[in-house]
Amino acid sequence: MGIIVDSPRVDSLMVYLCSLLLAGALSIIYPFCGTFGVLVCCSLAFGFCAGTYVSLRTIILADLVGVDRLTNAFGLVAMLQGIGYLITPPITGSSYDATGDFCGPFTIAGVMFILAGLICLPVKKLSSRKNIDMDSCLCPETCPELAKNCVVKCQENLCVVNERITTV
């Protein structure tokens, strides 16, 4: 998956979003897997999705907050995950106790994955407003439309965009 996401044409946040949404859908359909073969296929797909969103988390955090604030962001994400890990078992356990089947807990888990994926949509919009592609970095004199959308300063053949420096 790393080779695919490393391509400049692939948006890692969208891959992350799709993997979370697919993991949520797979969690919801687990109780309806009628045969062992279908369960194995769903489990393999879920494992692929889980590997994808776990491995992309650090890359996306670095893209969103920068490497200098990566440790703080990762700590915040770990804290929020810990809260989820603490709250979810009693909720899903009480759902199983109330209904006597696993349809409720798997549905709750799937909905949480889907909500986590949907949270990525506003993050995508906010990050696309703040950042531009470094390959298209031009000085304001050359491209005034670019200067309106982001912070761009040219200094001695360097283009400073949102506190990141690249050569022009």
Side-chain angles (χ1 to χ4, degrees):
M1 186 52 71
I3 293 172
I4 295 170
V5 174
D6 201 28
S7 169
R9 295 182 183 195
V10 177
D11 184 7
S12 59
L13 190 58
M14 290 307 295
V15 173
Y16 186 77
L17 168 106
C18 291
S19 68
L20 284 171
L21 294 177
L22 185 58
L26 289 166
S27 293
I28 291 171
I29 65 169
Y30 267 132
F32 306 108
C33 294
T35 64
F36 182 71
V38 174
L39 182 64
V40 167
C41 290
C42 286
S43 297
L44 286 171
F46 183 84
F48 182 76
C49 291
T52 300
Y53 69 75
V54 168
S55 62
L56 287 179
R57 183 179 306 130
T58 305
I59 295 167
I60 292 169
L61 283 175
D63 287 345
L64 291 176
V65 300
V67 177
D68 54 331
R69 291 187 262 168
L70 181 62
T71 54
N72 292 339
F74 209 80
L76 183 61
V77 167
M79 181 191 72
L80 293 173
Q81 282 179 329
I83 292 170
Y85 294 150
L86 188 66
I87 293 172
T88 305
I91 293 172
T92 55
S94 60
S95 171
Y96 175 77
D97 290 342
T99 61
D101 69 351
F102 287 103
C103 197
F106 279 106
T107 302
I108 291 169
V111 167
M112 292 300 137
F113 275 113
I114 291 169
L115 286 176
L118 293 177
I119 288 172
C120 293
L121 291 175
V123 169
K124 170 109 177 99
K125 273 197 162 182
L126 290 173
S127 69
S128 66
R129 285 185 194 166
K130 290 182 182 178
N131 299 323
I132 62 166
D133 186 10
M134 298 307 273
D135 295 333
S136 65
C137 181
L138 301 170
C139 293
E141 299 84 29
T142 310
C143 186
E145 299 85 30
L146 184 63
K148 292 178 189 174
N149 295 331
C150 64
V151 179
V152 178
K153 293 181 262 179
C154 287
Q155 300 168 347
E156 298 175 14
N157 207 21
L158 292 177
C159 183
V160 180
V161 181
N162 294 337
E163 302 176 356
R164 295 183 186 175
I165 298 176
T166 185
T167 57
V168 178

